[in-house]
Every structure is written in C-alpha cells, then in structure tokens.
Amino acid sequence: MSIFGKIKDSIFGKKPKPQETPATAPATKAAPQPTGNAWADAPVVEQQARPVIDIENNLDNMPGADRLNWRTSIVDLMKLIGVDSDYDSRKALAVELGREDYSGSAEDNMWLHRRVMKELAASGGRVPAEFLD
C-alpha cells in the first residue's frame, strides 16, 4: 500500500470489503426485456453518496493530538496517525505525490504537508482552507 494510502486509511478509516453474494441466493427480480434503445437498456447505476470526512476533527480526536503540531508539521502528522515519519518515508511520499527532488528541507516539508492536505481534500475530506494554502 502506498504511504498516502496509509495516511488516508488512518484518517478516513478503512473501507469495508464488499460482501460477496452467496451463489445460492434466489433471484428476486426478473431482468427487464431489452427495448432496442441503447440508452434505455443501459444498466442503472445507483450513486452512493460519499460521506465527507472532517479531517481536522478526526485528527484532533486522535490520542496524542494535543502534544503534536500536526496542523503544520508533516512529521507530527505522520507520527499522530502511526505512519513512519523518517526521511526515507517522507521522500517516498513526496515522490508518490509528484516531487522527485525532495531533500527534507523545511520548505520541502511544508510543501509535503500542504500536498497531503490537498490530496485528502480531493479524496473527499473537508480540510480547512488554511491547510491548503
């Protein structure tokens, strides 16, 4: 699993695995007869609402959040959620998120923190604007 995937799972919670339908389950509804119209015959896909995850609230409620500066420090954020925060892990995360020249400088770490927050927002998290600038 990717490092960002670990971060996301730690904050969002792991998705439950889809349950398999038993092979002996009885059919409850007959398939509709084709009409010859491709649009009408297309299967209906029900959209499930993706819950919005409050990133700030989830992180604030984790044990140890009051002792770590996760709001601005990528190292503290990774420590809080139990992901290795050493240089090699941060470099791998930076490469995963599109930065090949990560050196571990303060600027790089600030970029990495903002980038992680942007990715969490893109994945359905509600992230305060101050974390995205």
Side-chain angles (χ1 to χ4, degrees):
M1 173 179 279
S2 70
I3 294 174
F4 179 74
K6 291 177 185 176
I7 291 170
K8 185 177 152 193
D9 284 352
S10 295
I11 297 170
F12 284 44
K14 293 183 181 176
K15 293 180 183 175
K17 293 182 181 180
Q19 294 181 355
E20 292 184 25
T21 305
T24 59
T28 57
K29 192 175 184 183
Q33 296 298 318
T35 65
N37 179 328
W39 288 102
D41 293 341
V44 175
V45 178
E46 293 183 31
Q47 295 289 329
Q48 292 183 357
R50 248 176 37 181
V52 176
I53 304 297
D54 185 338
I55 303 299
E56 185 176 27
N57 186 50
N58 279 13
L59 291 170
D60 275 339
N61 287 317
M62 289 185 173
D66 57 334
R67 295 185 311 273
L68 295 168
N69 184 18
W70 66 263
R71 286 176 168 74
T72 58
S73 169
I74 188 65
V75 172
D76 283 357
L77 173 64
M78 293 171 83
K79 284 180 181 178
L80 177 61
I81 60 178
V83 174
D84 195 359
S85 64
D86 66 357
Y87 170 79
D88 290 333
S89 296
R90 287 180 283 126
K91 176 151 179 80
L93 177 60
V95 169
E96 183 181 332
L97 297 178
R99 181 129 184 202
E100 298 290 331
D101 64 344
Y102 179 86
S103 67
S105 69
E107 277 184 23
D108 285 348
N109 285 334
M110 289 186 308
W111 173 88
L112 188 55
H113 186 276
R114 283 190 309 272
R115 180 61 191 218
V116 165
M117 290 297 167
K118 285 180 184 178
E119 290 296 321
L120 291 170
S123 298
R126 184 174 56 235
V127 178
E130 67 208 45
F131 297 161
L132 301 174
D133 296 335

